[in-house]
Amino acid sequence: DTAVSQTPKYLVTQMGNDKSIKCEQNLGHDTMYWYKQDSKKFLKIMFSYNNKELIINETVPNRFSPKSPDKAHLNLHINSLELGDSAVYFCASSQARLARGTDTQYFGPGTRLTVL
Amino acid sequence: AQKVTQAQTEISVVEKEDVTLDCVYETRDTTYYLFWYKQPPSGELVFLIRRNSFDEQNEISGRYSWNFQKSTSSFNFTITASQVVDSAVYFCALSTSSNTGKLIFGQGTTLQVKP
C-alpha cells in the first residue's frame, strides 16, 4: 500500500490554465505539507495543514491555493499557471499532532509540472 | 536565521570507496531535529534518518553512518563501501521546535558512484 500518493505524476499544460494536484496519505497522520523543488533541485516548503487547519503559508503567490477536505487529503490548486511554476511538487505527511517539527515527514512520489 | 549548508555540490567515487557527505546547520533554537533524505534518479524522496538535538550519539545502519557534532553544528553522512545503487541526490534538512514543522533543506549533494 502506498503511504503518500499524488496524482498526477506528470502534468503538462499551457500558460494561463488552472490545474490541481491531489495528495492522499493512508498513514493516519495529522499534518500534511506541500513542497516545491525547482530546476536546481532546491526544496522549499509552501504550505502545511494540521488536521485541516492551515499552519504554514510561506511566501507563495495567491494563485496557489491548498485545500484540505479531511486530514488524509491535501490538494493544491494553481490558477493562471506561469512558466515559472514549472517544478516538481511534493506532498508530505507527518504524525505531528501539534505541528512542532518533531516528527519525520514522509514524502509522496512528486508531481512534475511543466508549463508551456 | 535557520539554514542548512551542503557545500559539496557533486561527488564522484568509484564503487567500494567510502564517501562522506557534509552538512552544516544554523539555528538558535536549542531543540531541533536533523534529517537526511535520499532522492534517487527515479525522483522520490526517501527518508534515511532523524536525529534530535539532545542525542549526539552517532548512528550506524548497515553501510550508512551518521556523525552528529553540536560543537561544529555538523551532521555528516558516511557511506562505506559505496555501491552504484547509492547514486542519488542526498539532502540534509533541519526542523526546529519554533518553526511549526517545516523542513529547511540544504542544497543537496549529488553522489555518483561509478562501477
Side-chain angles (χ1 to χ4, degrees), chain B residues 6 9 13 16 36 42 51 58 72 90 96 98 101 103 114:
Chain B
Q6 294 178 255
T9 306
V13 299
K16 296 185 185 174
W36 277 94
S42 50
R51 176 67 67 204
N58 291 330
T72 55
Y90 290 88
T96 76
S98 69
L103 283 173
K114 298 178 181 175

Side-chain angles (χ1 to χ4, degrees), chain A residues 4 7 9 11 13 15 21-22 25-26 32 35 39 51-52 59 70 78 84 91-92 98 102 111 115:
Chain A
V4 183
T7 53
K9 188 164 174 59
L11 187 52
T13 188
M15 249 187 345
I21 305 172
K22 295 186 176 181
Q25 54 94 4
N26 63 7
M32 296 184 72
Y35 287 83
S39 59
N51 204 9
K52 300 196 297 175
T59 311
D70 55 61
I78 316 170
C91 177
L98 298 177
T102 60
T111 295
V115 182

Side-chain angles (χ1 to χ4, degrees), chain A residues 67-88:
Chain A
K67 284 189 172 49
S68 182
D70 55 61
K71 72 175 192 176
H73 296 85
L74 179 61
N75 303 323
L76 183 65
H77 188 75
I78 316 170
N79 288 329
S80 303
L81 278 155
E82 299 177 358
L83 292 176
D85 297 333
S86 294
V88 180

Side-chain angles (χ1 to χ4, degrees), chain A residues 5 8-9 15 17-18 24 33 36 40 43 59 61 78 80 84 88 95 101:
Chain A
S5 59
K9 188 164 174 59
M15 249 187 345
N17 284 350
D18 302 339
E24 177 181 359
Y33 311 79
K36 179 180 179 180
K40 294 184 179 178
L43 280 151
T59 311
I78 316 170
S80 303
V88 180
Q95 198 165 15

Side-chain angles (χ1 to χ4, degrees), chain B residues 54-77:
Chain B
F54 299 109
D55 182 1
E56 282 194 77
Q57 272 194 333
N58 291 330
E59 180 149 342
I60 298 174
S61 176
R63 296 183 298 107
Y64 295 172
S65 62
W66 291 269
N67 184 344
F68 176 29
Q69 293 201 343
K70 286 176 80 168
S71 60
T72 55
S73 298
S74 65
F75 186 43
N76 296 338
F77 173 29

